[in-house]
Amino acid sequence: MKIGLDVMGGDHAPEAAVLGAIEASREIMPQTRIVLFGDRSLIEEILKRENQDPDTFEIVHTTEVIEMGDNPALTFVKKPDSSISVGFKYLHEGKISGFASAGSTGAMMVGSMYTVKPIDGVVRPAISTIIPTEEGESSLLLDIGLNVDCKPDVLYQYGIIGSVYAKTFLEIDNPRVALLNIGEEPEKGNLMTKSAYELMQGSSEFNFVGNIEAKYLFSKKIADVIVCDGFIGNTILKQTEGFFRILKKQGISSPFVDSLDDEVVGGTPVLGINATVIIGHGCSGPVAIKNMLLQTEKSVEAGLVEKLRESFK
Amino acid sequence: MKIGLDVMGGDHAPEAAVLGAIEASREIMPQTRIVLFGDRSLIEEILKRENQDPDTFEIVHTTEVIEMGDNPALTFVKKPDSSISVGFKYLHEGKISGFASAGSTGAMMVGSMYTVKPIDGVVRPAISTIIPTEEGESSLLLDIGLNVDCKPDVLYQYGIIGSVYAKTFLEIDNPRVALLNIGEEPEKGNLMTKSAYELMQGSSEFNFVGNIEAKYLFSKKIADVIVCDGFIGNTILKQTEGFFRILKKQGISSPFVDSLDDEVVGGTPVLGINATVIIGHGCSGPVAIKNMLLQTEKSVEAGLVEKLRESFK
């Protein structure tokens, strides 16, 4: 298997990306090969400095870089030789099986939606994150920012997508899917969650267990998969990030607190599209990049895309 | 000044309510008198057991109690002699200047909206909470659950309401008002926040400083007043509650962590109505009840309702 990495994306590129790739190369399966997309001379310079055999990687030289100010929608037209544009071209042509980047989220999304495209039957793909719990096991939260005005049928599909992901990655047989809401009772919530509850109730496509309040987000008490609108999911994530930062600043540590560090998680898969695409935080350091690559490998190896396609047949 | 307390409301009623009232009676101003609404014999029994002079309080005997299963909308019709119904009657007639309860939030809201009524010009009242920050000072968050499908003009008015509250209670001269969003840039967000941003931008009624991401919620970096839809605000609050519970369970303490305890805060004022109404957590213990009463007194003393009315003239 070949997996691609955008070396030019992220606040600490290309340094962090290349260092992360070197670390990942020591942990991936022997038959996996990492393909680096970016400026060849910059990449080779770092590899040389790190005394890393350049043959560890396949390098695809690209001449353009997507900047933060660039309009993501125009990425593939205006900068066809950017690392992200070329990466998606390779992905689309099957030359790589997965693609990861800590660069422009917008450009990665445009590539996912218009080059790779949603799986037939999926109304809206989602991005998700693993959330740690006080019990030490993981749950899944989606959507965390791709769809900020979710319709109820989209939330319903997130139940299916989240279930497949939890079965595949969290190794949970019959994942409990809950709808994030402001009360446990079915009649609680806003217009969106009330309608979504009605759709989800009695679903035969996933194991719906009802509403979950945010106080049980970081607990295994209620659910394994939590679905919500992207605005809410993104807010939850950023609030967690804020808490973590303050606690760390105050020198507070515990297994639970430390598990909130998103550097460990790596990246966010785009779920519901026809290939494995992982988007990392802009601030990703080498550890996050490494974990993002391992996650990409694992996702391809587990056949996540094929399983999702199967669920929407 | 007379301030009313619903003694029959809350998970630990009437015990916690009466004990909280006793504690509050030692801290209020000499000219303030607490009026207890509830079953006289139950109240007197607790007072006797606590060796508390029954003349400390004025007691208004009521014969009915709003239960969790009761439809809040019908409270005042079906149970006219409940502690909440009678309390609102007293409030409406000016026999008390403020009313507090840890009982049915729904019934308290119905009383606020239909007995006390919104201030002229206020589209939708809000409920708010003080949030602690890493710097040790307080910020204000609203709405935290009253309006779960907020329109942009309602969010705009929350800017005004929050500003008045922050000036009055947090003693901030020119409070910075920010809109909770998933990005700092004006064009970020969902349909609601994008429209609200446009309305708020350049407002002469409050000091709008732009968007705030949830990672800066518990920080003084960006804003003093944070406005959001009630679904979001409620979710933020419950996530905080969940974090606090886990950290406490793990024996983690710090001034910041401890400040997340909502027992200390007391209750949530209903803002934008024609009287002081404070709603406490159902699980309120005596300390929360005491703080809720002190908050009621302070709110009446500061003339918050009059100041809000002035702002909507």
Side-chain angles (χ1 to χ4, degrees), chain A residues 2-9 14-22 24 33-38 43 57-60 62 83-84 87 96 98-103 108 278 280 286 288-290 292-293 296:
Chain A
K2 285 186 181 176
I3 53 175
L5 175 69
D6 164 23
V7 168
M8 310 309 280
E15 183 79 16
V18 177
L19 294 180
I22 293 173
R33 200 164 153 81
I34 298 169
V35 183
L36 304 178
F37 294 84
I43 296 169
F57 305 103
E58 195 175 312
I59 299 172
V60 175
T62 60
S83 45
I84 290 183
I96 52 176
F99 185 53
S101 170
M108 289 296 285
I278 311 243
I289 299 281
K290 178 195 80 173
M292 190 161 72
L293 282 167
T296 307

Side-chain angles (χ1 to χ4, degrees), chain A residues 141-150 155 179-182 190 192-193 212-214 217 226-240, chain B residues 148 180-182 189-190 192 214 228-236 239:
Chain A
L141 178 72
L142 74 169
D143 175 63
I144 56 163
L146 189 48
N147 295 305
V148 293
D149 287 293
C150 266
L155 286 176
L179 176 65
L180 186 85
N181 210 335
I182 55 170
N190 55 14
M192 175 186 65
T193 58
I212 184 171
E213 293 182 278
L217 268 174
I226 297 146
V227 303
C228 62
D229 173 85
F231 190 100
I232 313 280
N234 195 272
T235 300
I236 287 171
L237 218 67
K238 286 189 175 146
Q239 184 178 346
T240 307
Chain B
V148 293
L180 187 85
N181 210 334
I182 57 170
N190 56 16
M192 176 186 64
C228 63
D229 173 84
F231 190 100
I232 312 280
N234 195 273
T235 300
I236 287 171
Q239 183 178 346

Side-chain angles (χ1 to χ4, degrees), chain A residues 128-145:
Chain A
S128 68
T129 191
I130 294 292
I131 47 177
T133 67
E134 55 176 325
E135 293 88 354
E137 292 157 64
S138 298
S139 295
L140 187 74
L141 178 72
L142 74 169
D143 175 63
I144 56 163

Side-chain angles (χ1 to χ4, degrees), chain A residues 242-277:
Chain A
F243 268 127
F244 177 74
R245 187 185 51 78
I246 296 173
L247 295 178
K248 281 290 118 181
K249 212 167 151 186
Q250 301 193 340
I252 293 170
S253 228
S254 87
F256 173 72
V257 170
D258 298 343
S259 70
L260 299 175
D261 188 357
D262 53 26
E263 172 86 354
V264 180
V265 177
T268 298
V270 184
L271 300 174
I273 57 169
N274 286 302
T276 295
V277 172

Side-chain angles (χ1 to χ4, degrees), chain B residues 42-100:
Chain B
L42 287 176
I43 296 169
E44 286 180 342
E45 202 178 295
I46 300 169
L47 291 177
K48 196 176 169 195
R49 197 196 62 208
E50 297 292 321
N51 292 319
Q52 182 72 28
D53 178 0
D55 288 340
T56 314
F57 305 103
E58 193 175 314
I59 300 174
V60 175
H61 179 65
T62 60
T63 57
E64 293 175 307
V65 177
I66 314 273
E67 310 285 353
M68 272 319 181
D70 288 338
N71 182 339
L74 301 177
T75 300
F76 297 83
V77 179
K78 291 224 168 173
K79 293 191 172 172
D81 200 42
S82 73
S83 46
I84 290 182
S85 303
V86 178
F88 271 103
K89 193 165 164 279
Y90 270 63
L91 191 62
H92 183 56
E93 291 170 356
K95 291 184 190 166
I96 53 175
S97 304
F99 184 53

